[in-house]
C-alpha cells in the first residue's frame, strides 16, 4: 500500500496483469489490486486455446489479433524468465476436421489468403489425417485443416507467472478494495466492469457469457490443439487435456457445472475416443466478459474521467493479451493511441 505507483491496475485477470507487467518492464512502478483474488474470474479457467480468426476478409481487428499471436511466444517466455514460473505456453498448432465439400473449398480458399495475410510467419493448409499422428480428430473426409499459428497455455499458471514477474520488477499485486488509486489508472474488471457500465448507461454495453469446461487426466504430450465444431480440445504440458466450452447467455448459477458440460464431454469423446477411458479430474464454470462489439474494449474509461479501461476478452482474452498490454502501456505511459476503432468503448456504447 505504500507504493507511490506510476500505474494502478484494478483487476488481476489476464488483461490487468499483462498490462501491469508490460508497464513494469518499461520501468513504471506498478500496483495491481483485485477485490476477489488473482485470476478469480474466467482468467482462472482451464482451456487456454490461443487461436486466430480465419484468414479472410482482413481488417484491423484480425491484424491486431495476428500480431498478438505472433508476439505471444516472446511475451510469455520473457514473463517466465523474469518471474521463474512456467506458463505452459507452446505454439503447437491446431487441427480442424473437414467434413463437407464446402468446408474443403473454404479451407483451400483460406490457404491462399493466409499466404498473404500471415506474411509467411504461419501457415494454414489442408493435410491428410493419416499424417497427423495418433492425436488426430475423427474426420469424415480423411482431411484436416492444420494451422501453425495456434498455441496453448495454462490460464491459471500464466496469471501466476505474470504476478511473479511483476513482483520481480518491484511491483505490488494484492487482494482488496480499489482504493488509493494513484498514477495512471486502468480498470480491467471483467464482467463486473461491464455490468457497471450497462447500469450507468441504461443499456447493455456488455455482459457475462457463461462457459463450462472439463479437464481429463490424460497425457497427450506435445499434441496440437483441436477445434471440432463447438468442441475445443487442448492437450497441456502437465499431462492433462482440457475440453471446452459451452457458451450460455442464460443460466441459473454462473459457476456451477451441469448437464450441458456432460453433453460437451460426450461430444469430445466422440472426436477423440481415447478420452472416454480417461478420468475427468476437474469440472469448471465461470462468466466471460463480452463487450457489445465482441472486441476487446480499450481506451479512455467512459465513467472514470482521466482513467482507462481494458475489458471484454471473452473467448480470446489470452490470445489478445500481449497486444492489449502493449497498446494499453503505449497509451498510459507514452500517450500513443493505436487502438483500432472497433476496440474503443464507443463501439459498444
Amino acid at each position: 500500500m505504500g507504493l507511490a505507483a506510476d500505474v494502478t491496475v484494478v483487476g488481476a485477470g489476464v488483461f490487468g496483469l499483462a498490462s501491469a507487467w508490460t508497464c513494469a518492464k518499461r520501468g513504471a512502478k506498478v500496483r495491481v489490486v483485485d477485490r476477489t483474488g488473482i485470476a478469480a474470474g474466467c482468467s482462472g479457467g482451464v482451456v487456454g486455446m490461443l487461436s486466430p480468426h480465419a484468414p479472410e476478409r482482413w481488417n484491423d481487428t484480425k491484424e491486431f489479433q495476428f500480431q498478438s499471436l505472433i508476439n505471444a511466444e516472446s511475451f510469455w517466455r520473457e514473463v517466465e524468465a523474469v518471474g521463474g514460473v512456467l506458463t505452459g505456453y507452446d505454439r503447437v498448432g491446431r487441427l480442424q476436421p473437414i467434413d463437407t465439400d464446402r468446408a474443403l473449398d473454404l479451407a483451400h480458399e483460406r490457404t491462399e489468403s493466409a499466404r498473404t495475410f500471415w506474411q509467411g510467419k504461419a501457415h494454414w493448409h489442408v493435410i491428410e489425417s493419416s499424417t497427423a499422428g495418433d492425436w488426430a480428430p475423427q474426420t469424415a473426409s480423411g482431411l484436416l485443416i492444420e494451422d501453425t499459428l495456434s498455441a496453448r497455455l495454462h490460464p491459471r499458471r500464466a496469471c501466476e507467472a505474470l504476478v511473479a514477474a511483476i513482483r520481480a520488477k518491484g511491483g505490488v499485486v494484492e487482494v482488496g478494495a480499489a482504493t488509493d488509486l494513484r498514477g495512471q489508472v486502468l480498470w480491467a474488471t471483467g464482467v463486473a466492469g461491464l455490468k457497471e457500465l450497462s447500469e450507468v448507461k441504461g443499456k447493455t454495453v456488455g455482459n457475462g457469457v457463461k462457459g463450462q469446461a472439463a479437464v481429463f487426466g490424460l497425457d497427450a504430450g506435445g499434441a496440437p490443439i483441436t477445434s471440432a465444431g463447438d468442441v475445443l480440445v487442448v492437450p497441456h504440458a502437465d499431462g492433462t487435456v482440457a475440453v471446452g466450452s459451452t457458451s450460455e447467455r442464460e443460466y441459473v448459477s454462473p459457476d456451477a457445472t451441469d448437464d450441458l458440460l456432460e453433453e460437451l464431454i460426450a461430444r469430445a469423446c466422440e472426436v477423440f475416443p481415447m478420452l472416454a477411458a480417461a478420468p475427468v479430474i476437474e469440472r469448471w464454470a465461470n462468466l466471460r466478459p463480452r463487450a457489445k462489439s465482441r472486441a476487446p474494449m480499450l481506451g479512455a474509461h467512459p465513467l472514470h474521467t482521466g482513467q482507462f479501461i481494458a475489458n471484454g476478452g471473452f473467448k480470446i482474452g489470452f490470445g489478445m493479451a500481449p497486444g492489449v498490454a502493449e497498446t494499453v502501456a503505449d497509451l498510459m505511459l507514452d500517450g500513443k493511441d493505436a487502438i483500432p476503432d472497433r476496440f474503443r468503448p464507443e463501439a459498444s456504447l
Side-chain angles (χ1 to χ4, degrees):
M1 289 294 293
L3 179 76
D6 296 324
V7 173
T8 301
V9 177
V10 184
V14 68
F15 275 8
L17 292 170
S19 298
W21 155 247
T22 301
C23 290
K25 74 176 183 175
R26 294 189 188 184
K29 289 175 283 192
V30 171
R31 173 176 171 248
V32 182
V33 58
D34 193 296
R35 63 183 176 83
T36 53
I38 296 164
C42 66
S43 291
V46 298
V47 179
M49 175 181 280
L50 317 182
S51 288
H53 293 297
E56 62 186 1
R57 297 191 293 275
W58 209 244
N59 54 35
D60 288 346
T61 301
K62 290 190 176 185
E63 178 65 20
F64 187 102
Q65 185 198 41
F66 172 75
Q67 294 298 337
S68 186
L69 291 170
I70 285 293
N71 294 329
E73 181 157 14
S74 61
F75 179 90
W76 293 111
R77 295 302 180 222
E78 186 176 11
V79 168
E80 292 175 337
V82 172
V85 176
L86 296 178
T87 65
Y89 177 89
D90 196 2
R91 191 168 145 185
V92 293
R94 174 179 57 163
L95 301 175
Q96 302 178 72
I98 298 173
D99 291 328
T100 67
D101 291 341
R102 177 55 181 154
L104 180 59
D105 290 341
L106 278 174
H108 285 309
E109 290 171 13
R110 290 165 177 169
T111 296
E112 295 303 314
S113 56
R115 289 194 176 102
T116 299
F117 299 129
W118 288 4
Q119 306 161 23
K121 297 177 180 178
H123 304 285
W124 171 296
H125 48 211
V126 175
I127 65 170
E128 298 279 347
S129 61
S130 59
T131 68
D134 294 335
W135 195 260
Q138 300 289 308
T139 171
S141 67
L143 300 172
L144 300 167
I145 299 165
E146 179 185 54
D147 86 69
T148 62
L149 180 55
S150 294
R152 51 98 165 127
L153 88 171
H154 196 289
R156 295 171 193 164
R157 290 174 190 161
C159 289
E160 292 168 0
L162 284 166
V163 171
I166 291 166
R167 288 174 173 161
K169 288 289 188 181
V172 171
V173 182
E174 58 192 6
V175 178
T179 58
D180 192 29
L181 303 182
R182 305 180 188 183
Q184 300 280 44
V185 178
L186 175 68
W187 294 82
T189 50
V191 173
L194 294 178
K195 181 179 179 182
E196 178 193 28
L197 276 171
S198 297
E199 288 174 349
V200 173
K201 296 296 183 180
K203 59 183 178 182
T204 300
V205 178
N207 55 11
V209 178
K210 182 178 178 179
Q212 299 186 52
V215 180
F216 287 82
L218 179 65
D219 189 349
I225 60 182
T226 290
S227 300
D230 63 347
V231 177
L232 311 178
V233 181
V234 183
H236 282 292
D238 62 355
T240 65
V241 175
V243 170
S245 298
T246 68
S247 189
E248 305 165 50
R249 297 290 189 89
E250 297 181 2
Y251 48 85
V252 176
S253 171
D255 56 2
T257 60
D258 55 33
D259 289 346
L260 291 178
L261 179 56
E262 301 311 309
E263 293 169 6
L264 181 68
I265 289 171
R267 292 197 298 277
C269 291
E270 292 175 359
V271 175
F272 286 104
M274 66 278 280
L275 289 173
V280 176
I281 60 176
E282 182 178 356
R283 289 172 169 81
W284 176 90
N286 215 310
L287 300 182
R288 298 165 294 187
R290 177 188 182 277
K292 185 178 180 181
S293 69
R294 293 191 61 133
M297 184 185 293
L298 309 178
H301 200 293
L303 304 181
H304 304 295
T305 303
Q307 300 177 5
F308 303 92
I309 188 170
N311 206 324
F314 195 30
K315 299 179 180 180
I316 56 174
F318 279 88
M320 287 289 213
V324 165
E326 291 291 335
T327 302
V328 166
D330 283 345
L331 183 63
M332 293 197 299
L333 300 182
D334 302 326
K336 177 185 174 182
D337 185 346
I339 301 170
D341 287 344
R342 189 162 174 254
F343 288 24
R344 297 181 186 276
E346 292 79 9
S348 292
L349 294 171

